[in-house]
């Protein structure tokens, strides 16, 4: 099955205790689509400005991502700047400049309308909904968002949530959105709003998944060196959705495996700035780390 993603394609400026990068390729849709491209074909919808560099487009092209929905608009590419302290789980946003996204009206190429899985990556919830309304009959729709949109567009976000199957969000934002401190209650509240599955991303502590019937937990892969956590959530989502699309099965055990594959892709991403590690990965490395994750989480009864 194929995947359609709408989200940001960005230039990021990032500072972590281990280094910094200025005006490098980032954005929720970029991280997502590169991660997912190892498993299935990906169609991207986003806008960039006239300053978007040919070498950055080439990073996406080399992964065979369908860019017929990537529009070049008058103005500048979306920019985000953030920094992290030693707690790498928490990004401090310094600048969000929407630039071309301020007036972007996405129109899907006809070839995108039959998309089977849809990922509404972190972007204005109005844009997420506009894209979703143009897809004919998606089999699974997942969404990510962040405090920026919870603070500024809560009503629109709630409307978009009513149309999706799966919400993927970090723990602080899940609590902010639901108004609940407890994550089990958070899941119950979010189920009332539409999604039937909640995946809570908890940075280096891993991931928790809730459905009405089951709960599943996965650790993050323990790494010796983490350089930049930016895009970990989107790479997780790309590995997760890519795996589901490839398996064509959305049953519970497939979802559990997809969570492990999401964790694998996120673990590679944080080893370097920007898309430097993800874009150069081999499928062999992915398989090896998937097996290592399996060993990490395996135990037997006495
Ligand atoms: P993550 O670390 O996975 O949560 O996502 C980081 C990416 O999200 C960065 O590459 C940013 O360019 C992008 N980003 C940050 N803020 C926003 C926003 N308000 N809307 C869309 N994308 C954003």
């Amino acid at each position: 099955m194929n995947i359609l993603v709408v989200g940001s394609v960005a230039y990021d400026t990032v500072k972590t205790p281990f280094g910094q990068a200025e005006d490098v390729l980032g954005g929720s849709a970029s991280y997502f689509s590169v991660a997912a491209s190892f498993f299935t074909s990906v169609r991207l919808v986003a806008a960039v400005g006239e300053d978007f560099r040919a070498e950055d487009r080439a990073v996406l092209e080399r992964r065979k991502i369908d860019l017929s929905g990537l529009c070049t608009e008058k103005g500048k590419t979306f920019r985000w700047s953030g920094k992290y302290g030693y707690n790498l789980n928490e990004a401090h946003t310094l600048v969000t400049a929407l630039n071309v996204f301020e007036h972007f009206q996405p129109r899907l190429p006809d070839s995108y309308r039959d998309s089977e899985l849809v990922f509404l990556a972190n972007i204005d919830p109005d844009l997420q909904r506009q894209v979703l309304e143009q897809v004919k009959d998606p089999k699974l729709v997942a969404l990510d968002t962040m405090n920026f949109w919870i603070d500024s567009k809560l009503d629109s976000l709630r409307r978009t949530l009513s149309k999706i199957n799966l919400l993927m969000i970090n723990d602080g934002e899940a609590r902010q959105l639901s108004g609940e401190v407890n994550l089990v209650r958070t899941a119950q509240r979010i189920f009332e709003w539409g999604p039937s599955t909640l995946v809570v991303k908890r940075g280096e502590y891993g991931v928790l998944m809730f459905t009405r019937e089951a709960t599943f937990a996965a650790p993050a892969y323990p790494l010796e060196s983490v350089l930049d956590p930016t895009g970990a959530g989107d790479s997780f989502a790309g590995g997760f959705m890519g795996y589901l699309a490839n398996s064509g099965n959305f049953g519970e055990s497939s979802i559990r495996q997809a969570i492990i594959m999401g964790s694998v892709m996120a673990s590679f991403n944080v080893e370097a700035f920007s898309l430097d590690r993800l874009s150069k990965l081999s499928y062999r490395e992915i398989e090896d780390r998937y097996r290592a994750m399996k060993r990490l989480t395996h135990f037997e009864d006495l």
Side-chain angles (χ1 to χ4, degrees):
M1 292 185 179
N2 55 50
I3 306 182
L4 169 73
V5 56
V6 57
S8 54
V9 172
Y11 282 135
D12 290 346
T13 295
V14 181
K15 198 167 176 191
T16 81
F18 313 105
Q20 56 192 57
E22 207 172 309
D23 260 345
V24 290
L25 178 61
S28 54
S30 312
Y31 284 108
F32 176 91
S33 51
V34 171
S37 69
F38 287 90
F39 309 97
T40 191
S41 54
V42 182
R43 304 159 167 187
L44 185 148
V45 181
V48 290
E50 291 151 318
D51 57 349
F52 193 61
R53 296 179 290 251
E55 71 246 38
D56 294 320
R57 173 179 269 269
V59 170
L60 305 174
E61 280 169 349
R62 273 197 295 273
R63 293 299 319 150
K64 306 262 187 297
I65 295 156
D66 186 339
L67 300 181
S68 33
L70 180 63
C71 306
T72 303
E73 305 275 323
K74 252 200 166 69
K76 285 177 119 189
T77 298
F78 176 95
R79 274 173 173 71
W80 178 78
S81 162
K83 67 172 186 187
Y84 301 82
Y86 283 98
N87 175 4
L88 291 173
N89 293 330
E90 207 184 332
H92 302 279
T93 294
L94 303 173
V95 179
T96 303
L98 296 178
N99 296 334
V100 289
F101 276 113
E102 210 153 345
H103 302 293
F104 181 50
Q105 296 283 331
R107 258 192 57 90
L108 288 201
D110 284 344
S111 58
Y112 280 25
R113 288 179 199 272
D114 63 353
S115 297
E116 293 166 296
L117 276 74
V118 177
F119 187 64
L120 307 172
N122 179 26
I123 194 71
D124 186 329
D126 289 339
L127 292 183
Q128 292 177 319
R129 214 170 42 254
Q130 280 172 33
V131 166
L132 184 57
E133 280 163 0
Q134 296 175 57
V135 183
K136 266 195 252 137
D137 184 24
K139 313 251 175 298
L140 181 79
V141 182
L143 176 146
D144 186 11
T145 192
M146 71 181 292
N147 49 10
F148 186 86
W149 304 113
I150 301 172
D151 289 336
S152 62
K153 291 219 166 174
L154 184 59
D155 286 348
S156 169
L157 180 59
R158 285 282 300 271
R159 244 180 301 145
T160 312
L161 281 177
S162 70
K163 299 176 189 303
I164 66 154
N165 308 108
L166 190 152
L167 174 65
M168 208 179 275
I169 189 170
N170 79 30
D171 53 350
E173 286 151 357
R175 291 185 171 104
Q176 182 187 356
L177 179 63
S178 65
E180 297 281 357
V181 177
N182 177 290
L183 284 178
V184 177
R185 285 174 191 265
T186 294
Q188 288 161 356
R189 176 60 52 89
I190 282 166
F191 295 157
E192 288 165 14
W193 296 344
S196 53
T197 304
L198 172 68
V199 176
V200 183
K201 299 172 287 181
R202 303 166 67 228
E204 66 178 312
Y205 307 113
V207 170
L208 270 172
M209 182 205 62
F210 298 93
T211 64
R212 284 201 168 82
E213 297 80 36
T215 304
F216 178 61
Y221 185 74
L223 290 166
E224 196 179 324
S225 153
V226 173
L227 283 193
D228 174 17
T230 308
D234 305 305
S235 317
F236 171 87
F240 174 85
M241 295 285 281
Y243 186 92
L244 282 184
N246 185 264
S247 77
N249 174 344
F250 311 147
E252 203 194 307
S253 67
S254 184
I255 289 192
R256 288 177 184 231
Q257 291 157 9
I259 283 181
I260 300 298
M261 192 53 95
S263 309
V264 164
M265 298 311 283
S267 77
F268 284 119
N269 179 60
V270 302
E271 289 179 334
F273 281 84
S274 186
L275 288 129
D276 291 359
R277 181 77 171 103
L278 270 195
S279 59
K280 296 189 186 94
L281 266 182
S282 71
Y283 197 71
R284 178 74 195 274
E285 289 175 293
I286 296 173
E287 285 177 326
D288 286 349
R289 194 164 285 178
Y290 185 88
R291 274 193 290 274
M293 275 296 283
K294 200 166 176 185
R295 285 195 296 278
L296 177 70
T297 51
H298 180 82
F299 70 94
E300 283 171 18
D301 285 335
L302 289 176

